[in-house]
């Protein structure tokens, strides 16, 4: 959450106040200012923060392993901790690697989508 907060705050502060003043003079309400000024200004940052946050969450290992080890009752496992459990605790290396690699088909399309969105904005 701090990462998202800082990224979106920085994006919001980068939007010129003149745009908001002009919209207010034109009679735009709060929703219209958000829809036509704020959201287009932070949309790419939101996409990037979401993808990076997802990648980091799937790869999170240290905090969970050191604090809970996946417990209580296996409620806090991530792919990394489940893979470790299979590979080294259950002595099934093939299943452990397979568990960790399940993130690849999920993340590759998301990363390509993010790159397309970022490139689309760069070409304009």
């Amino acid at each position: 959450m701090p990462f998202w907060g800082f990224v979106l705050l920085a994006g919001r502060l980068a939007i010129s106040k003149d745009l908001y003043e002009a919209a207010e003079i034109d009679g735009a309400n709060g929703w219209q200012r958000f829809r036509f000024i704020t959201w287009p200004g932070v949309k790419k940052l939101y996409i990037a923060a979401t993808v990076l946050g997802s990648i980091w969450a799937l790869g999170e290992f240290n905090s969970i392993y050191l604090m809970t080890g996946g417990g209580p009752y296996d409620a806090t496992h991530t792919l990394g901790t489940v893979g470790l459990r299979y590979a080294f605790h259950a002595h099934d290396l093939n299943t452990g690697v397979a568990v960790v690699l399940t993130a690849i088909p999920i993340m590759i399309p998301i990363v390509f989508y993010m790159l397309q969105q970022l490139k689309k904005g760069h070409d304009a």
Side-chain angles (χ1 to χ4, degrees):
M1 289 304 281
F3 174 71
W4 274 41
F6 284 127
V7 167
L8 295 177
L9 177 64
R12 168 56 189 89
L13 292 176
I15 299 171
S16 174
K17 291 183 181 182
D18 295 340
L19 293 172
Y20 290 103
E21 291 173 4
E24 191 172 338
I25 290 171
D26 289 341
N29 61 27
W31 169 250
Q32 291 169 330
R33 288 191 301 265
F34 174 78
R35 182 175 174 207
F36 295 111
I37 298 171
T38 305
W39 179 247
V42 298
K43 183 170 82 170
K44 288 180 183 47
L45 292 173
Y46 181 79
I47 292 169
T50 301
V51 171
L52 289 173
S54 300
I55 291 169
W56 292 337
L58 283 172
E60 181 61 36
F61 177 80
N62 292 337
S63 301
I64 294 182
Y65 185 72
L66 294 175
M67 291 178 69
T68 66
Y73 304 110
D74 297 332
T76 60
H77 274 298
T78 61
L79 291 176
T81 57
V82 170
L84 178 92
R85 174 177 274 182
Y86 278 114
F88 297 109
H89 296 226
H91 305 292
D92 187 1
L93 186 61
N94 293 334
T95 304
V97 171
V99 166
V100 173
L101 291 180
T102 58
I104 290 175
I106 296 167
M107 292 311 299
I108 287 177
I110 294 171
V111 169
F112 278 123
Y113 173 75
M114 180 184 85
L115 292 173
Q116 285 177 339
Q117 293 300 312
L118 295 175
K119 185 178 179 189
K120 187 187 317 180
H122 187 268
D123 293 339

